[in-house]
Amino acid sequence: MPNIPVADTVKNYRFAELVVFVLLVLFVIPIKIGKDYYGDEGCFQKYLQTFNRSYDNETVYQQKLQIFKNSLVTVNLLNTNQTNNKTAKYGITKYSDMHPKEFLQSTLLPNLSTRLKNILPQYFTLDIEEDIDKIKRAAKEFNIPVRLDWREKNAVTQVINQESCSACWAFSSIGMLESLNAIKSGKSTELSVQQVIDCAAYSDGCNGGEICSLLSWLKDSRVKIVKAEEYPLTLRNGKCKNIPSEGVQIKDYECLNFVGSEEVILALIAKNGPVSVAVNALSWQYYVGGVIQFHCDSNPTKLNHAVEIVGYDLTGDVPYYIAKNSWGEDFGEKGYLYLAIGKNICGLAYEVAVVTLV
Ligand SMILES: *[C@@H]1O[C@H](CO)[C@@H](O)[C@H](O)[C@H]1NC(C)=O
Ligand SMILES: *[C@@H]1O[C@H](CO)[C@@H](O)[C@H](O)[C@H]1NC(C)=O
Ligand SMILES: *[C@@H]1O[C@H](CO)[C@@H](O)[C@H](O)[C@H]1NC(C)=O
Ligand SMILES: *[C@@H]1O[C@H](CO)[C@@H](O)[C@H](O)[C@H]1NC(C)=O
Ligand SMILES: *[C@@H]1O[C@H](CO)[C@@H](O)[C@H](O)[C@H]1NC(C)=O
């Protein structure tokens, strides 16, 4: 309930309206009016309304309230170090009533780094913070633009909402293939994520997987990815359907570690197209916008998610990548996040997947 200035309101209402008003208040007023109604619990009530949630079970309600209060504390911590007006902002999101452990289990891949350890030979690398001027000079030498957004070139499809299907490895990789295909053919087409969720070997559908294992399977099997409309998204593990059809096929791929040489990532995005990367997205639970520069652990053992990098901008004080996520358009900045260039933020430079199409 909003904090209604009753005295002023009453003055402005005629009697009949006042009756309606009072009735409304009586009916609309939430049943649970805690002692800190205008504090965190009031905030929680508003949260439940805004996000259409209800917890009728008193035990569950109290647990969720406590989690929500803890989220507010975390958000305050994350909002320290606002060094400039582009710094990421954290706040209330659709994940604010989830315990970080629950968020990790339901939305991310807690075991991703175990998978990666066996795949990437140069897995453990020290973090190196790069000099931004060095990166800008390198961009000039590579002769690439200072800013590039493949969305503006009609090479990026709509943001998907993965919901409880933790197939970020499939969403980010298929997103990248859609972009490369659009750049190549001049026509943007949505490709089937469900096809790889159901069919890819070395992967585990909505339970988990990994970008480079998928690319390795796509290359070895020469499978053609069909249009999304031919093999629609169900967000559940299903039986692999064989659809004889034309589709997009990869020619080759590489998974590379660019910690300390992120200028090469920019060159690849500019010269080849979007890339797909593994990240640690634990703190993204609270992300509402801006460029993530701090508070995102880049330890390689913490990688737990994958996104498509669809562009970058080197023009401002805080150069950044543009990352397309798969948590719906109601997350972050219309489904996107911005990540600082040059500090392996969130571990994004450990595993960069680059693909060419047949
Ligand atoms: C909540 O439900 C209303 C009415 O159905 C809808 O308009 C609104 O978009 C929903 N909000 C969220 C966050 O889903
Ligand atoms: C409320 O939820 C708790 C925990 O999930 C459960 O143990 C309990 O039985 C539920 N109570 C009711 C009345 O449903
Ligand atoms: C943000 O800061 C930059 C330079 O530090 C300045 O040019 C710009 O106008 C600022 N933008 C806003 C919205 O305050
Ligand atoms: C994740 O790894 C832990 C320990 O390495 C293991 O116990 C657990 O079963 C794994 N979970 C999944 C979903 O593979
Ligand atoms: C806060 O910003 C400073 C200056 O940019 C940086 O050195 C420091 O590591 C940041 N702190 C955290 C907790 O990230």
Side-chain angles (χ1 to χ4, degrees), residues 110-153:
N111 285 11
L112 181 61
S113 61
T114 320
R115 281 176 185 268
L116 289 179
K117 215 164 165 179
N118 306 324
I119 294 162
L120 296 179
Q122 328 114 309
Y123 180 53
F124 289 97
T125 320
L126 288 175
D127 272 14
I128 298 164
E129 181 141 357
E130 292 185 73
D131 176 8
I132 287 301
D133 289 329
K134 180 199 104 178
I135 293 181
K136 288 184 178 175
R137 279 196 305 276
K140 217 175 243 166
E141 277 163 31
F142 288 138
N143 199 21
I144 58 172
V146 286
R147 70 174 291 284
L148 173 68
D149 185 346
W150 282 111
R151 291 176 298 184
E152 292 166 0
K153 300 178 190 293

Side-chain angles (χ1 to χ4, degrees), residues 112 116 211 276-280 303 305-307 346-351:
L112 181 61
L116 289 179
I211 310 164
S276 184
V277 300
V279 288
N280 168 8
L303 297 171
H305 189 49
V307 289
C346 311
L348 69 84
Y350 285 118
E351 189 194 35

Side-chain angles (χ1 to χ4, degrees), residues 203-222:
S203 305
D204 200 8
C206 290
N207 307 331
E210 194 273 314
I211 310 164
C212 299
S213 307
L214 168 63
L215 296 175
S216 147
W217 174 72
L218 285 175
K219 189 185 170 191
D220 295 350
S221 68
R222 300 173 176 212

Side-chain angles (χ1 to χ4, degrees), residues 84-86 317:
N84 54 63
N85 60 15
K86 282 234 184 82
D317 296 342

Side-chain angles (χ1 to χ4, degrees), residues 78-323:
L78 290 171
N79 279 330
T80 57
N81 234 5
Q82 298 278 330
T83 52
N84 54 63
N85 60 15
K86 282 234 184 82
T87 305
K89 300 270 190 300
Y90 299 88
I92 309 272
T93 69
K94 58 182 171 181
Y95 305 116
S96 296
D97 60 351
M98 272 188 181
H99 190 282
K101 271 192 193 146
E102 185 191 350
F103 178 70
L104 180 67
Q105 292 293 338
S106 70
T107 310
L108 305 173
L109 299 175
N111 285 11
L112 181 61
S113 61
T114 320
R115 281 176 185 268
L116 289 179
K117 215 164 165 179
N118 306 324
I119 294 162
L120 296 179
Q122 328 114 309
Y123 180 53
F124 289 97
T125 320
L126 288 175
D127 272 14
I128 298 164
E129 181 141 357
E130 292 185 73
D131 176 8
I132 287 301
D133 289 329
K134 180 199 104 178
I135 293 181
K136 288 184 178 175
R137 279 196 305 276
K140 217 175 243 166
E141 277 163 31
F142 288 138
N143 199 21
I144 58 172
V146 286
R147 70 174 291 284
L148 173 68
D149 185 346
W150 282 111
R151 291 176 298 184
E152 292 166 0
K153 300 178 190 293
N154 195 27
V156 183
T157 58
Q158 246 191 330
V159 170
I160 289 178
N161 190 347
Q162 69 177 52
E163 294 174 22
S164 58
C165 173
S166 297
C168 57
W169 55 278
F171 293 108
S172 62
S173 304
I174 295 299
M176 168 175 59
L177 299 190
E178 287 169 340
S179 296
L180 296 173
N181 182 49
I183 294 167
K184 189 163 167 255
S185 68
K187 197 166 151 278
S188 178
T189 310
E190 287 185 14
L191 300 176
S192 175
V193 180
Q194 195 62 43
Q195 187 186 359
V196 300
I197 288 176
D198 291 353
C199 305
Y202 333 134
S203 305
D204 200 8
C206 290
N207 307 331
E210 194 273 314
I211 310 164
C212 299
S213 307
L214 168 63
L215 296 175
S216 147
W217 174 72
L218 285 175
K219 189 185 170 191
D220 295 350
S221 68
R222 300 173 176 212
V223 161
K224 290 179 176 164
I225 304 293
V226 301
K227 287 181 187 162
E229 65 202 34
E230 290 177 64
Y231 200 138
L233 193 60
T234 64
L235 298 175
R236 281 189 304 273
N237 293 340
K239 207 161 157 275
C240 180
K241 292 185 265 295
N242 232 332
I243 300 180
S245 172
E246 287 300 292
V248 171
Q249 192 184 342
I250 79 167
K251 188 197 286 172
D252 211 347
Y253 78 96
E254 287 214 67
C255 285
L256 301 159
N257 179 331
F258 289 120
V259 178
S261 51
E262 290 182 41
E263 55 280 5
V264 187
I265 304 179
L266 305 181
L268 288 167
I269 294 169
K271 298 196 169 176
N272 190 61
V275 296
S276 184
V277 300
V279 288
N280 168 8
L282 196 58
S283 63
W284 298 8
Q285 182 180 1
Y286 313 103
Y287 173 87
V288 293
V291 182
I292 300 180
Q293 297 163 259
F294 313 107
H295 310 303
C296 199
D297 194 345
S298 60
N299 186 318
T301 63
K302 303 259 174 80
L303 297 171
N304 49 33
H305 189 49
V307 289
E308 180 192 1
I309 308 282
V310 300
Y312 62 84
D313 191 332
L314 283 172
T315 58
D317 296 342
V318 188
Y320 59 84
Y321 300 101
I322 305 163

